[in-house]
Structure formats: structure tokens, C-alpha cells
Amino acid sequence: MDRQELKEMVAQLLLEMDKPQPAKTAGSGDVLPDLTAVDLRGEYLVENPVNGEAFRRLKQKTSARLGLGRAGSRYKTASMLRFRADHAAAQDSVFSLVPPSFAEENGLVAVQTKCRDKEEYLTRPDLGRRFDEPQQAVIREACGKNPRALLVIGDGLSSDAILANAMDCAKAIRQGLKTHGIELGKTLYVQFARVGASDHIGEITGAELVCMLVGERPGLTTSESMSAYITYMPRPGIAESKRTVVSNIHRHGTLALEAGAHIAELMVTMLEKKASGVDLR
Amino acid sequence: MISVGVDLGTSTTQLIFSKLTLANTAPAFTVPRMEILHREILYRSAIHLTPLLGTDTLDAEAIAAILTEEYRLAGMRPETVQTGAVVITGETARKENARAVLEAISHLAGEFVVATAGPALESVLAARGAGAESLAKSMGKRLLHLDIGGGTTNLALLDAEGRIVQTGCLNVGGRLVKLNPDGVVTYVSPTLFGLDTPAVGERATPESLAPLLAQLVAALEEAVGLRPATALLRDRITDQTISTQPPVEALSFSGGVAALLDEKEENWLAYGDLGVLLARAIAASRLFTLPHDLGRETIRATVVGAGNYATELSGSTIFHRHAVFPLHDLPVAPLEKENLADGIRQGLALHGYDVPIALALPRQEALDYDGLTRLAETIADGAKGQGREVPLVVVLEQDMAKALGQALATLVPPEKPLICLDGLYTPPGSYLDLAAPVGGGTALPVVIKTLAFV
């Protein structure tokens, strides 16, 4: 291609850019369809497949982004946008707060770790495990001395997870413990909570067993996944191996109610065996 | 877990022992999920002719002797067997003393060995034993499995996902006519009415039997949907046939006659019945124009199904208290979403207030805690009339039995036994046997039957 041809081509392109564009996206006032509303498990996007039905059946079993098709060596636009949308949802869930009304509406006692805001929470894990004096007094007052079991809800890294699952799970735990004759006291809600906050709560109250429901770090599959960390005699400095975890509590994983029922029985076993984590065999 | 399967068929009696391996397949740090991970056949008996006294009576003593000997050969004792099924199949189930025979051999079985019969279960077990589920799945086709035995052909229709969606049973089999070594007819089953049957005492030849075989094969072709259904098919149906809409896309075969499909037996009188000729006729029929395959098991499909696949596991987060296992022959009361409490009352009225019944809940919308509490209250209210010492048994498919069980536990009298199981699909009209929990109490072995011998 010589110079002259190149010049002509650029000129042609510039001309086209000057033309008024048909109002396709911007300004029309229409709301674009929500990309994240589509269930990826049912989507198979490869063109002219040998056996698309068989692949679709396999896809039902995984949330992995498979069978997306391609344009040259790259993702198609839809796949690319969906990836970014899911990533944005995950980030939003980390950065957004559980509404202040959550604790009040559900009859929880709200406390806050030493973190002053989300920024500090994300950058200073150590502060997310400790409470200052006034907050310690609130906890002492709410939980009493040496309770057998305490239930704590912590926002952790996903506010979505807490809003979607925590209360159903907590009520099922309370109910399950009741069938074994264990009455839970007040439930704490901890803002800016790391799992280690249970250890400080254990020290403050002298609790024998603490169960913390906490939002998991969101992934690209779901931002609503919650875990339960249950620790026998939690005290600051306790080894992580002494915790029992029930993870993947969400709509597509273990349902919150059923998880709660399971956790309640686990807690009863722990109180009987006086152990949790790898000590619980 | 050691499992036994016994198949008392029209023509043969067989037994297998297998080892079912249970394991928790859930990843660490999640709730447990117990599954039957592995099914290993430890011992296959010889294939015995089913001993008869005359034409309509089973020889209970001879059957017991065969089974006792097979237990000895296998080195098994009844008390080491934890689960399994004795199925009485085909024409045998219609013999006069079928129930008496089951009683006579029940001491050979372990505590949780299920005695059962019924064409629907037989179809399911044969299809599972033959491996039709994985075949349909790997082909990705709508597959009809035909277990062609001595007295009946059991049909099981599977969808492309490998799930059994429908069953049927026809009076088409190799032993509906019996002949002596000279080809003289000694028995003609009454189920062959309306067909070109030979007379007892007549000397038959492959040529003289050809019209009858053509009719039997045509009945199968009609069942598969390769011909429009006529009286030929309708008169052969024992309980029901399968739907051919949408059309069947592939076939698989098991049963004694299927075993002869690829075994070129020259002597048509080798077994003294229609088997060899029927297999030849099937191989030459329209049935073979569809994609088709022999099962992983042929003549042993039903017994392998009984030993390996009769036992299912419930979900792994379940609830039970004060229950004494095993529980046998619980009738299933299917419930509708509307008027749930009334449905429970009707179920209790039908089956009685002092026997345990299985309340089968319909699929629920995603429930929150309050919805769960309301559901538990409705169930407790409906079941109020049931005796205090009678176990309240609730079964459902969705994973919520533990939460529901805990909710129920606070609502029914504290001494009342309570069992709440999920992960189970229970068709209307079925019966449940429940064994003691396995895997540290996390799951119950369950056998879902279509007919109970109480």
C-alpha cells in the first residue's frame, strides 16, 4: 500500500466519522438489558457446534465460563462485558456497606471493630479483629458472662452475602440448638469484621463456643456466598486450624436454612466433644 | 455395605452379592454429601432354572435349597448382608404361592433385605442393571430399554439425560411356549390369547411357529412406535406401555432372550422354548433399524439391578429422632401444595392412624425461615391425629430436611419419633423401606418399591 492509498483511506474514514450516527445506544433513553440476569449455565455460544446439546448438558454442572465461542483469538463482546459486569458486582459487594438498619430490623446488637471505615478495614486486617473499650462494654452487656454458645454475624468481605443469607441461617441455628436444649442469647452484628473478631469476643465474654457467619470474599460466580466459622474456646492467638468452617452458603450452594440446621448440630457436637477444627474428629 | 440381589424369574433364579462403597463426596469445609460411590459385584451365582411344582406353583423348598447353597459357595452369612432386594419377576409373581415363597426364604436375607415385586420396579432395576442410564446419557438420545425375559418384556424409557421417565410391561417372552427335545409343545401360556399359538402335544417347527413369532415381534415394534398400535400390543400389556411421543431414538436390550441376540445358537430347541427363535426374529425386525446396543449385563440385568441399584441413599442433611430402624413397607401419601393439612389427614384416614406412613411433600418455592416455620406448622397440624408413638415420616426432594425436621421437632410431642428425609423422589403408589443411618448418621439407605408384600 503506497502513501497515496493510505491518505485516501484515512480521508474516507474521517468522512464517515463526520456523518451523523443513527441513535443506537446513547441518548435514546432505553435501559440496556441486564447482562448479569442471564444464567450462564444455560448459555452455549459456539457457532455451528457438532453437538451443542451435549455441551449444554455439561455446562449445567459448572459455573465455569466454557463454550463461549470466540472472535478470532478473543472473547466475543458479550463474554467480555459479562466478565467485567461480574467483576464489578464482586467489587461492589466488597466496597458497599450493610445498611445501618439491618441490625435494628432484625433485633441484633450492633458493634464495630477498631476499623473506622471500609478503607481501613481493607488495609488493616489487624484492626478488624479487635474492639475498643466502649464497644467491649456493649458486647459484655449484651452477651453476659461465660455463655455456652454465641452467634455473631459479621459483614466480612461481602455485604450481599449477609443480606441474602445471614438471617435465615441464624434463625435455623437458633431453632436447631433449641431442639437440643441450648438457648442462644442475643445475636451480635459486627461491622468491619474479620473472622478473628470472634477470638476477641470469646475473650471479652468468656464464651465456650462462638459461631460467626461472615460474608466470603466474592468471586466471579456469586457475590452472595457466606461462611460459618465456629471456634471452641476462641481466644486471641488461637491457631486457625482450631476453627471449623462451613462454606458456600448461598442460593446455588448449600441453602441458608439447611446450612443453619447442619451448623446447629455441629455446634452441639463441639460442645459435647469440647473441640473444633482439626481437633474435632 | 454388603448387598444381596435375588431374582426369582419366570425361567431363571439368580443371585449376586455386591459391595456398595459409601463416601462423602463433598469438598472439605462444606456440608457432607454421602453417595454410593462404587458398586462391586463380589459373587455371581450360576443361572438356575426356577423350580416349579406343576405349572402354577413355585417349589419353595427347592428355591430355598438353591439359595442356601449359593450363600455357602459365596462364603456369605445372612447376618453379614446389610441391604439388598429379593425380586419376584415376570410370570413368577403371578404364581399362586409367590408370597409364601418369599416368607420361606426371608430368613436367608439380612435384616434390611427387601422382598418386592411389581413390573414397574422390575423395569427400573433391569434398565439400571444393564447400564441403560449411562448409555442414554452418553448417546444423548431418548432410549428405550427392553428386558426380554421368559415371561415378560419390561420396558424402561430414558431421556437423553439418562433418567428413567416411564416404565411398561408386556407379555412377550421366550418361555411362553415350552417344548420337549423332540419339538413337541408341552406348555402354552394363557397370556398368548388371540395369537396363532400351537396346541399342547403338537409337534412344532420353526416354520409352524413363524406366525406367532411375527406377532410377538410386531407387538414389540408397536410398543417402540415403529408401527401404529393395534390390539396386538394392547392385549399384551400387563399394566401399561410407554409413550412413543416424542419418538424413541435408540434401543438397548437385556434379559435371557437378549443374551441370545449376538450368540448364534444353531439349535432352536437348545433351551426348549421360543427363546432362540424370538432372538432371531428380533434381529431381523424393524427394531434393529434403530441404533441399538446390548446392555452391560444381559441375562443378569435384573439381579444386578436388584443387588446394586435397589438401595438408594437419602440426602445427607436429614433429621431423625427416637426412630427404631429398619422400617418396612411405609405407604407413600403424595401431597399437593393446596390444602396440605387436609391431604395429610386424608392420607392418615386411608392408611390408619397407628401405622407409619411416608408423607411425600410437593416441590416448594424457595423458602425463607418464616415460610419453613409455616410449612412445619401445617404438617404438624395435619398429622395431629396420628398416634403419639407412631413415627412421623416426611420425605421430599429438595435439600431442606434437616431444617424442616428441626422445625417439626419443636411442634410435635417430644417423645414422638420423627424422620425427615430429602433427596428422594417417591412416585405415587410406592412403598418405602428405611434402614438405620450410615456414615455417622448422615444418610439413610432407602429402598423405594412399587408393591409391598406385608
Side-chain angles (χ1 to χ4, degrees):
Chain A
M1 198 187 287
D2 65 17
R3 234 184 147 74
Q4 187 55 37
E5 271 181 275
L6 205 63
K7 260 188 176 170
E8 278 170 19
M9 213 167 102
V10 171
Q12 180 65 30
L13 277 172
L14 286 172
L15 214 73
E16 275 175 17
M17 281 169 70
D18 275 350
K19 279 185 199 158
Q21 295 281 323
K24 231 188 222 166
T25 48
S28 65
D30 290 345
V31 177
L32 291 173
D34 181 4
L35 276 173
T36 58
V38 178
D39 181 8
L40 282 181
R41 288 172 194 241
E43 288 282 291
Y44 179 68
L45 303 171
V46 173
E47 285 162 29
N48 307 317
V50 176
N51 191 345
E53 260 323 297
F55 202 107
R56 204 186 296 271
R57 279 200 296 278
L58 286 174
K59 272 209 74 171
Q60 291 293 337
K61 299 185 193 307
T62 176
S63 56
R65 284 158 214 260
L66 302 173
L68 300 177
R70 61 196 170 86
S73 61
R74 301 185 182 216
Y75 290 134
K76 289 187 173 180
T77 310
S79 309
M80 181 65 191
L81 290 176
R82 176 62 188 264
F83 188 88
R84 292 177 64 172
D86 288 344
H87 190 228
Q91 285 192 318
D92 279 355
S93 188
V94 171
F95 287 113
S96 55
L97 296 170
V98 172
S101 58
F102 174 77
E104 196 182 320
E105 279 165 13
N106 291 298
L108 309 175
V109 177
V111 288
Q112 186 172 329
T113 60
K114 284 186 170 176
C115 302
R116 278 161 304 178
D117 52 33
K118 206 83 190 189
E119 279 297 314
E120 192 167 58
Y121 171 69
L122 292 171
T123 51
R124 293 285 305 271
D126 56 330
L127 296 181
R129 301 189 188 108
R130 290 284 178 166
F131 299 90
D132 61 17
E133 265 307 327
Q135 295 290 304
Q136 289 182 29
V138 175
I139 294 170
R140 228 174 264 127
E141 159 84 34
C143 303
K145 227 174 157 80
N146 304 329
R148 275 195 93 187
L150 270 186
L151 183 56
V152 178
I153 298 172
D155 54 357
L157 286 165
S158 170
S159 52
D160 287 359
I162 294 307
L163 293 177
N165 306 299
M167 284 325 296
D168 273 343
C169 193
K171 288 175 188 170
I173 293 173
R174 186 174 287 273
Q175 164 111 284
L177 287 175
K178 207 171 173 182
T179 61
H180 291 277
I182 299 169
E183 289 283 348
L184 280 178
K186 285 180 181 159
T187 300
L188 293 178
Y189 170 69
V190 184
Q191 190 166 35
F192 306 135
R194 299 271 168 187
V195 172
S198 356
D199 303 341
H200 199 192
I201 293 172
E203 185 179 61
I204 297 164
T205 60
E208 194 176 349
L209 187 69
V210 174
C211 171
M212 179 185 264
L213 304 179
V214 64
E216 284 177 18
R217 179 173 54 84
L220 290 168
T221 303
T222 174
S223 61
E224 291 186 357
S225 189
M226 187 179 80
S227 287
Y229 286 81
I230 318 162
T231 323
Y232 187 78
M233 294 297 271
R235 301 295 180 261
I238 195 172
E240 292 298 319
S241 61
K242 306 252 181 206
R243 301 192 207 282
T244 295
V245 185
V246 177
S247 70
N248 282 296
I249 303 168
H250 56 93
R251 219 174 329 149
H252 303 291
T254 303
L255 301 176
L257 288 173
E258 197 67 348
H262 175 67
I263 291 164
E265 271 191 18
L266 265 178
M267 290 172 74
V268 171
T269 311
M270 288 174 187
L271 288 170
E272 272 168 14
K273 306 230 163 125
K274 301 194 176 299
S276 60
V278 293
D279 296 343
L280 186 74
R281 276 281 165 257
Chain B
M1 212 161 47
I2 302 291
S3 172
V4 67
V6 178
D7 173 16
L8 287 177
T10 311
S11 38
T12 65
T13 292
Q14 310 172 51
L15 169 152
I16 66 160
F17 289 107
S18 46
K19 189 163 95 186
L20 310 182
T21 309
L22 308 179
N24 180 5
T25 61
F29 314 128
T30 56
V31 299
R33 187 171 62 231
M34 295 296 292
E35 282 182 54
I36 299 178
L37 210 57
H38 195 64
R39 301 171 163 92
E40 182 195 355
I41 298 178
L42 300 175
Y43 177 80
R44 294 160 189 264
S45 77
I47 295 170
H48 303 276
L49 284 179
T50 299
L52 295 175
L53 297 168
T55 48
D56 289 319
T57 316
L58 294 163
D59 185 345
E61 259 175 55
I63 291 169
I66 289 173
L67 298 182
T68 309
E69 177 63 6
E70 292 293 353
Y71 264 76
R72 196 187 61 77
L73 288 172
M76 290 286 173
R77 292 191 317 272
E79 56 272 25
T80 54
V81 175
Q82 285 144 297
T83 187
V86 179
V87 293
I88 207 159
T89 60
E91 282 212 312
T92 317
R94 282 172 243 146
K95 302 288 187 213
E96 287 167 2
N97 58 342
R99 184 180 296 194
V101 170
L102 281 175
E103 276 160 18
I105 60 173
S106 63
H107 70 279
L108 285 171
E111 197 178 39
F112 185 63
V113 175
V114 166
T116 185
L121 182 70
E122 191 184 340
S123 299
V124 168
L125 293 181
R128 288 187 175 157
E133 289 169 308
S134 51
L135 188 65
K137 212 153 122 186
S138 67
M139 289 171 110
K141 284 188 172 14
R142 198 173 172 83
L143 179 129
L144 180 64
H145 182 79
L146 299 98
D147 186 80
I148 310 174
T152 53
T153 294
N154 281 94
L155 308 172
L157 185 64
L158 299 95
D159 64 15
E161 314 267 327
R163 287 178 302 225
I164 295 172
V165 290
Q166 212 186 357
T167 62
C169 185
L170 309 176
N171 281 316
V172 174
R175 233 169 155 70
L176 296 175
V177 172
K178 292 191 222 171
L179 309 104
N180 75 8
D182 299 322
V184 175
V185 175
T186 58
Y187 169 78
V188 176
S189 166
T191 63
L192 293 175
F193 68 91
L195 302 185
D196 297 330
T197 49
V200 173
E202 173 190 325
R203 192 189 186 91
T205 63
E207 291 71 33
S208 75
L209 291 170
L212 172 62
L213 290 161
Q215 287 164 332
L216 289 177
V217 171
L220 292 181
E221 289 170 344
E222 288 179 16
V224 174
L226 295 168
R227 286 175 192 273
T230 67
L232 212 51
L233 172 63
R234 282 194 292 278
D235 290 346
R236 306 277 81 72
I237 297 170
T238 67
D239 64 335
Q240 58 169 19
T241 186
I242 54 104
S243 155
T244 53
Q245 265 330 309
V248 173
E249 294 166 321
L251 302 176
S252 65
F253 295 95
S254 65
V257 173
L260 299 168
L261 281 173
D262 65 0
E263 189 184 303
K264 295 285 167 277
E265 175 61 58
E266 296 294 327
N267 175 14
W268 72 275
L269 279 170
Y271 299 95
D273 59 26
L274 292 178
V276 176
L277 293 178
L278 185 57
R280 278 189 211 161
I282 288 168
S285 74
R286 295 189 196 177
L287 297 172
F288 269 40
T289 61
L290 283 177
H292 58 272
D293 209 342
L294 271 191
R296 189 176 55 207
E297 299 282 343
T298 53
I299 192 163
R300 285 191 168 93
T302 306
V303 75
V304 168
N308 276 1
Y309 296 96
T311 308
E312 301 178 34
L313 277 188
S314 71
S316 300
T317 47
I318 55 168
F319 185 92
H320 55 86
R321 72 164 190 207
H322 309 324
V324 181
F325 297 105
L327 285 166
H328 284 297
D329 298 318
L330 270 52
V332 169
L335 300 173
E336 308 276 339
K337 216 174 273 167
E338 285 77 36
N339 303 323
L340 192 66
D342 286 337
I344 295 172
R345 281 181 208 112
Q346 282 163 19
L348 290 172
L350 179 67
H351 298 287
Y353 297 91
D354 45 7
V355 291
I357 67 172
L359 303 172
L361 291 191
R363 221 183 151 67
Q364 307 290 325
E365 309 295 333
L367 281 179
D368 59 8
Y369 181 79
D370 296 336
L372 179 84
T373 308
R374 275 196 299 277
L375 177 64
E377 281 165 359
T378 311
I379 295 170
D381 180 42
K384 241 182 335 206
Q386 199 178 39
R388 283 171 92 88
E389 65 297 334
V390 181
L392 175 61
V393 183
V394 179
V395 295
L396 71 166
E397 271 190 277
Q398 281 153 299
D399 182 17
M400 54 181 280
K402 204 182 201 72
L404 180 61
Q406 290 180 351
L408 277 170
T410 60
L411 297 168
V412 301
E415 72 279 12
K416 187 174 172 70
L418 178 61
I419 301 171
C420 199
L421 305 175
D422 56 26
L424 296 174
Y425 171 67
T426 45
S430 53
Y431 294 82
L432 298 187
D433 282 21
L434 309 177
V438 293
T442 50
L444 288 190
V446 178
V447 179
I448 299 168
K449 310 183 290 187
T450 47
L451 195 75
F453 280 81
V454 182

